[in-house]
Structures are given as structure tokens and as C-alpha cells.
């Protein structure tokens, strides 16, 4: 059900581009589906940056215990 709702909202968003006038600052913003493509690419970029940050900031599971053996 959730996937069907998602696809319906996506289709309605893209169909609204025919009805509504798009006014943007740049010429590329009037292209059909630009907002959907731009949003998808930005989300993808955020996921990739989060993966890289997770790899760089990862610590050992015993990082906060230090050298204590009797804890």
C-alpha cells in the first residue's frame, strides 16, 4: 500500500507540472521533471556522503573501554 501511495504521489507531482506555471531563477528549472530529478540526485548525494562519513568516523567497538580488562 505504501509503495502504491508513493507512486501515486510521484505521478501527481509530475502531472502538476503541466497544470502549474514553473517560474525559476535558471532556465533549467522549467524542464519537465527537473524538480523530481534534482530531489532524487540530492537525496542520493546525501546517502553517499553519509556512507563516506560513516566509514571515516567508524570506531572499534571497544573504543570507549580503553585498556581496562576488568570492567
Amino acid at each position: 500500500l505504501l509503495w502504491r501511495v508513493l507512486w501515486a504521489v510521484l505521478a501527481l507531482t509530475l502531472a502538476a507540472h503541466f497544470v502549474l506555471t514553473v517560474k525559476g531563477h535558471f532556465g533549467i528549472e522549467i524542464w519537465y521533471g527537473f524538480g523530481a530529478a534534482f530531489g532524487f540526485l540530492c537525496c542520493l548525494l546525501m546517502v553517499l556522503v553519509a556512507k563516506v562519513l560513516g566509514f571515516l568516523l567508524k570506531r572499534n567497538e571497544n573504543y570507549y573501554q580503553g585498556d581496562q580488562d576488568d570492567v
Side-chain angles (χ1 to χ4, degrees):
L1 177 65
L2 185 61
W3 283 106
R4 290 180 183 165
V5 171
L6 173 70
W7 285 108
V9 169
L10 178 62
L12 289 173
T13 303
L14 289 176
H17 189 37
F18 288 120
V19 178
L20 302 174
T21 303
V22 178
K23 295 180 182 177
H25 296 286
F26 304 103
I28 194 171
E29 294 179 32
I30 63 171
W31 289 5
Y32 180 74
F34 172 77
F38 184 73
F40 175 76
L41 291 176
C42 287
C43 184
L44 182 67
L45 181 66
M46 286 191 295
V47 169
L48 293 176
V49 168
K51 292 277 189 183
V52 170
L53 280 175
F55 178 74
L56 292 175
L57 300 176
K58 182 172 44 174
R59 299 284 184 233
N60 187 0
E61 65 181 54
N62 297 326
Y63 177 76
Y64 291 106
Q65 290 181 349
D67 293 333
Q68 299 174 358
D69 291 332
D70 57 347
V71 174

